[in-house]
Amino acid sequence: MKYRYQFLPVFCVLSFMSLTTTGWCFQNADTTKIMQETKIVADGATPRLISKQFSFTEGPTADKKGNIYFTDQPNDKIWKYDTDGNLTLFMDKTGRSNGMYFDKKGNLISCADERNEMWSIDPQKKVTVLMSDYKGQLLNGPNDVWVHPKGGLYFTDPLYKRPWWTRPGERIAAERVYYLPKNATQPIPVDSTIKKPNGIIGSPDGKTLYVADIGANKTYKYSIEKNGTLSNRQLFAEQGSDGMTIDKEGNIYLSGNGVTIYDKNGKKIEYIAIPEKWSANVCIGGKNKDQLFITASQAVYTVPLKVKGVGSK
C-alpha cells in the first residue's frame, strides 16, 4: 500500500485470461466481454465509479454489516461508504491512516504512519496506540494489516518516505513482516527476507497468511503456527500487490494495475481493469458481502460479484 506522488504512463496488453502488469490498464469492449464470461464478476458488470473527490485512496475494509471504510491518506481522513450507498466522512486527523482492518469487537485497526504506529479506533473514534516502536527504533511506516481470528495482528512495514514525517528517532533499516500478539506492545519479526512487503491478508480459519512483495513482484503464502510465527513459505503468484483481499472460495484479489484474481492454488483466473492510474487496494463488503470495493488513485469503485467475502473484510 503505497502513496505515490507521480505515475509514469506505460501500457498493458490485455487478452483473455492474460495480462502484462507493467502499466496503466483501462476498460474497453474486450474487457467488458471478458467480465461477462467470468465466474467471479456478476454477469455483464463493469466497475462503477462511486466518487472521485480524493487525493489518494487506500485501506478499504468492511465491518460486520458490510459498511466499507477507507482512507484518503494525503488529506488525513477516513471515509465510510455504507450499505445504502451513502458516502460520509467518518474521521479527520487519523494519524495518516493507511491500511486498515476491523477486529472482532468492531474496532478499526489502522496503520497510522504519521508517527509509524499501530492504532485501534473504536466506534466512537477513541484512539488507542497499540504499538509505537520496535525495541526503541522507529518502524519504516506500517502499511497494511490483517487481524488474526485470535486477536493478534500481522502487518507489513516497507519504507515509503512521507512528507509529513517529523517524529525524531532512528529508523529500522530492514523492511519486514511483523506479528503483534494480542495485548502485546512489541511486535515480532516473522519475515525479514522479503524485499518490500506490502499487501497482506489471511484465511478466515487463521491458518494461512498471504503477503505481497511488491519490490520483487511476487506474492507468498505461509502457514501460521500456534505461537503466531510463520513457516512453510511458498511462492503463491509471480505478481506483487499493493493491497489484497480474499473471498469465501479462497480466491485472492491482488491490486495494482487493476485487480487480478487468483484461485486458492495460485492460478490466475480473472482480471478486472479499472480506468485509473493505480488501484491501491480492495475489499469485499455491501449488504450481501458481494460488492468488490476498489480504492483507485483519486477515486473509489465497486464491482458486483457472484461470490461473497469473508469475515469483516
Side-chain angles (χ1 to χ4, degrees):
M1 302 173 106
K2 55 186 173 296
Y3 167 41
R4 294 183 170 185
Y5 294 97
Q6 65 183 62
F7 301 87
L8 301 179
V10 291
F11 298 93
C12 70
V13 179
L14 182 65
S15 61
F16 184 73
M17 304 301 277
S18 66
L19 167 74
T20 61
T21 57
T22 57
W24 301 0
C25 296
F26 296 90
Q27 184 181 338
N28 54 32
D30 291 335
T31 305
T32 302
K33 181 179 179 181
I34 290 171
M35 293 177 70
Q36 288 173 339
E37 298 172 351
T38 67
K39 295 181 180 180
I40 302 295
V41 176
D43 293 338
T46 56
R48 182 170 74 94
L49 176 65
I50 301 303
S51 181
K52 196 170 185 176
Q53 59 177 290
F54 314 103
S55 292
F56 194 85
T57 55
E58 255 289 11
T61 186
D63 64 16
K64 291 180 180 179
K65 294 181 179 179
N67 301 303
I68 295 166
Y69 294 71
F70 65 95
T71 70
D72 183 3
Q73 193 183 27
N75 291 318
D76 201 13
K77 300 180 187 300
I78 297 174
W79 289 80
K80 177 182 178 181
Y81 180 66
D82 70 22
T83 56
D84 293 321
N86 301 308
L87 181 64
T88 56
L89 181 65
F90 170 71
M91 184 175 175
D92 206 350
K93 304 301 180 185
T94 70
R96 302 284 182 176
S97 288
N98 196 344
M100 303 188 297
Y101 201 93
F102 276 98
D103 67 15
K104 286 186 175 182
K105 296 180 179 180
N107 300 309
L108 192 54
I109 306 303
S110 164
C111 296
D113 90 350
E114 182 172 28
R115 293 179 57 82
N116 315 108
E117 297 171 329
M118 295 298 301
W119 283 11
S120 174
I121 305 170
D122 75 11
Q124 288 72 46
K125 307 181 185 65
K126 179 183 177 182
V127 172
T128 300
V129 178
L130 301 176
M131 180 218 63
S132 62
D133 65 79
Y134 174 66
K135 296 182 178 180
Q137 290 184 301
L138 300 182
L139 294 170
N140 291 301
N143 190 279
D144 200 2
V145 59
W146 174 68
V147 181
H148 190 276
K150 292 184 178 179
L153 315 178
Y154 290 88
F155 67 92
T156 56
D157 186 47
L159 178 62
Y160 295 107
K161 293 183 179 179
R162 310 299 195 187
W164 49 77
W165 280 348
T166 58
R167 184 182 175 190
E170 182 182 359
R171 195 172 301 278
I172 292 172
E175 302 181 45
R176 299 166 172 156
V177 181
Y178 290 91
Y179 171 60
L180 182 66
K182 185 178 180 180
N183 300 321
T185 58
Q186 281 293 292
I188 300 167
V190 288
D191 192 341
S192 300
T193 64
I194 217 161
K195 186 175 180 181
K196 188 175 283 293
N198 206 299
I200 191 168
I201 196 69
S203 61
D205 62 8
K207 295 180 178 180
T208 306
L209 187 72
Y210 300 86
V211 179
D213 186 343
I214 201 167
N217 197 31
K218 299 181 187 299
T219 296
Y220 294 102
K221 175 182 178 180
Y222 306 77
S223 297
I224 300 174
E225 300 297 327
K226 290 183 178 180
N227 64 357
T229 59
L230 304 179
S231 65
N232 191 31
R233 186 174 95 165
Q234 302 175 47
L235 179 64
F236 176 74
E238 289 279 2
Q239 179 182 337
S241 181
D242 199 348
M244 63 175 77
T245 195
I246 188 172
D247 67 25
K248 251 188 173 179
E249 305 299 320
N251 301 310
I252 301 296
Y253 299 64
L254 304 184
S255 67
N257 296 307
V259 180
T260 307
I261 307 169
Y262 290 81
D263 69 15
K264 61 185 178 181
N265 298 313
K267 178 184 177 182
K268 186 188 296 184
I269 55 174
E270 292 191 21
Y271 171 76
I272 304 170
I274 304 297
E276 301 295 341
K277 299 174 183 178
W278 188 253
S279 299
N281 213 329
V282 289
C283 77
I284 300 174
K287 285 182 180 179
N288 300 314
K289 295 188 179 178
D290 61 357
Q291 296 292 314
L292 183 67
F293 187 90
I294 305 105
T295 55
S297 301
Q298 298 174 336
V300 291
Y301 289 79
T302 59
V303 177
L305 304 176
K306 295 179 179 178
V307 297
K308 295 184 182 294
V310 297
S312 60
K313 187 171 182 179

